[in-house]
Amino acid sequence: MSGDILFLCHRIPFPPDRGDKIRSFHLLKRLAELAPVHVGCFADDDRDMGFAAEMAALTASQCVLRRDRSKLVAGLTGLAKRQSLLVALFDHPALHRWVAQTLAQKPIRAVVAYSAQMAHFVPTLPAGVRFLMDFVDFDSAKYAAYGAEAAGPMAWINRREGRVLLDFERQVAARADISAFVSEAEAALFRHASGLGPDRVVAIENGVALDTFDPAAAFDPVDHGTGPLLVFTGQMDYRPNVEAVDSFARQTLPAIRSLHPNARFAIVGRNPTPQVQALGQLPGAVVTGAVPDVRGWLAAADVVVAPLRIARGVQNKVLEAMAMARPVVASPQAAEGIDARDEAHLLVAASPAEEAAKIVALLADPARAAALGRAARARMEQRYRWSATLAGLPAMLFPEAAAKAAAA
């Protein structure tokens, strides 16, 4: 391909150890196969900053900045500027300067912005420079849903964020060549909200690293213990995950333990909030915090659960569990973006009572649970290889070169 690529991320796209980094990491790898990539991104903490040197093996140049704006400052700034609070939280004059310098000094032919909060770093681009805006999720819809559920000041804040962010998303999409979302369902919602057609708003689905998330791969096992083991994986300071495990531990797990007194529910993921940590005091609930390798927990699970009530796009946790050939019980929201059939590749449960009933039925029928896991793995192999989900990227960024290559 001709020319370089500028890739902007709200969180350093390395390593692929949490949901947003999984997608951005695989995007970076694919972009680096197409052209030299210049990466501008933020680091949340010292741990993230420590990955900058390793990521340099994939980049032609990079600017990794420690995000230092507090939520209070961002909130006040956003209100004063009538700006989305999410966008205000991710701002840094040094990154604006680096982007301008990179565009001026490097032969940039395509810009990829990952997540809405990075779009404001993309200036008006010269003719011939493509702009791919990877929104990933329809974030304004998520905040609108929060606002509808909350009460008091938070309801007002979330409703405002939903309105302001939607206006911003529409403005960005109007100047982007292509806006991408993680699922066709999300893309369709945004087409309706923006008035743009399928030539401008597309789905770039997540994939799963099938060689890594493979029950036959080498990884350290986790002691299953006695009694059924139910597992949830995810970043445990992310609100939808917190709400999901709280509901499951307090409502679904007791119903399961009434029939299986030794059943355990393992909440596996880094940065558990105090609300999540408190769940460890409930009978049968285990809060692990960060683990070296989530695959051991997935492999040990009798059932993997994804009981999210507010979820956007495609849940990596579900793809990974299915790739590990585990039976999955997911909420409709968690299953919505995944091209898999209820009862054939996973089970969908819409309430704590339905979750408990379907999990108990799986525990009573190990052969069915194993068959469901095998079907899940086969579906991932058929549908969710990263090479397949990112196959359209070259044509989006370098349409002329891709057309010539196809004609050759």
Side-chain angles (χ1 to χ4, degrees), residues 52 70 117 172 189 203 208 233 309 351 389 392:
S70 71
Q117 53 265 52
V172 172
L189 285 173
V208 61
T233 64
R309 305 304 174 210
S351 67
T389 60

Side-chain angles (χ1 to χ4, degrees), residues 215 298 301-306 318-330 335 338-349 354-355 357-381:
L298 292 174
D302 292 288
V303 180
V304 176
V305 299
V318 176
L319 299 183
E320 291 170 354
M322 293 176 72
M324 290 292 292
R326 305 319 301 147
V328 174
V329 176
I338 298 174
D339 187 8
R341 294 198 314 277
D342 183 20
E343 300 290 337
H345 306 115
L346 78 172
L347 301 183
V348 178
E354 191 175 2
E355 287 164 2
K358 292 197 172 186
I359 291 169
V360 167
L362 282 176
L363 296 177
D365 191 348
R368 182 185 177 221
L372 191 66
R374 290 192 298 270
R377 170 71 189 184
R379 188 57 176 164
M380 294 300 100
E381 292 176 341

Side-chain angles (χ1 to χ4, degrees), residues 249-265:
R250 296 184 185 280
Q251 299 180 61
T252 308
L253 183 60
I256 295 169
R257 282 175 60 86
S258 68
L259 297 171
H260 296 274
N262 292 331
R264 293 178 300 142
F265 173 43

